[in-house]
Amino acid sequence: TDLYLAQKKTAEAAATLDKFLGQHPNAPSADLALLTLGELRLRQHLAVISGHGTNIEVTVTNPLPLAHAAFERLTTNFPSSPLIGKGQLNLGWCLWLERKMPAAETAFRAATERLPASLDQATAFFKLGDSQFQQQNFTGALGNYKAILEKFQNLPEVKTNLLESGL
């Protein structure tokens, strides 16, 4: 998979992961394969909607449902995986892009609880706030934006990427 990705052959990388998961659905690294496959599909979807689909090889018609399914499988099949927090964050992104705000809120909340203190966790708090804001839960949104300001002010990536938006 890494060799295909180094060659910018996203479709082959995804196919390799699909094949691996089909043959070894409960392998010790199946959680990593699902997370990686979901991230590849999500990246393909974002490339298509941003108009940069020619920079990333996209051979499936709509990669977003495939990304969503991979993150759901990770969550369902490997609930105690150390990768579940990142999977929940990415599942939240899929649900956000599908405009399923209550479900996105649930996934982002789960990500805030399962991720270590990091840019990913700060992003989960930010998107949790955004999903609450979209549902007009302004009090909840404010609490999560404040959490970014209080918990992550010492992380340089958060300072440059999220603090101003949180304010």
Side-chain angles (χ1 to χ4, degrees), residues 133-145:
F133 186 86
Q134 289 293 316
Q135 298 173 85
Q136 299 184 355
N137 176 357
F138 302 121
T139 303
L142 182 60
N144 285 298
Y145 295 142

Side-chain angles (χ1 to χ4, degrees), residues 43-59:
R43 192 179 323 152
Q44 287 177 320
H45 175 75
L46 294 172
V48 168
I49 64 172
S50 69
H52 294 99
T54 56
N55 294 341
I56 295 178
E57 184 184 6
V58 180
T59 58

Side-chain angles (χ1 to χ4, degrees), residues 9 14 46 53-54 57 60 62 64 68 76 82 87 91 108-109 123 133 135-136 138 150 155-157 159-160 166:
K9 294 182 177 181
L46 294 172
T54 56
E57 184 184 6
V60 292
N62 189 355
L64 185 59
H68 183 147
T76 302
L91 177 60
F108 288 131
R109 184 179 313 284
T123 302
F133 186 86
Q135 298 173 85
Q136 299 184 355
F138 302 121
E150 294 167 2
L155 288 177
E157 306 93 355
K159 281 183 179 181
T160 57

Side-chain angles (χ1 to χ4, degrees), residues 49 73 77-78 134 150 154:
I49 64 172
R73 277 181 60 197
N77 296 355
F78 302 96
Q134 289 293 316
E150 294 167 2
N154 294 327

Side-chain angles (χ1 to χ4, degrees), residues 6-76:
Q7 299 170 30
K8 299 191 188 310
K9 294 182 177 181
T10 308
E12 287 91 342
T16 300
L17 290 171
D18 273 331
K19 183 177 179 182
F20 171 78
L21 288 165
Q23 294 173 347
H24 310 286
N26 296 314
S29 59
D31 59 343
L32 177 59
L34 284 166
L35 179 68
T36 305
L37 179 60
E39 288 176 343
L40 287 174
R41 297 300 191 197
L42 185 55
R43 192 179 323 152
Q44 287 177 320
H45 175 75
L46 294 172
V48 168
I49 64 172
S50 69
H52 294 99
T54 56
N55 294 341
I56 295 178
E57 184 184 6
V58 180
T59 58
V60 292
T61 304
N62 189 355
L64 185 59
L66 298 174
H68 183 147
F71 298 131
E72 286 280 355
R73 277 181 60 197
L74 171 62
T75 302
T76 302

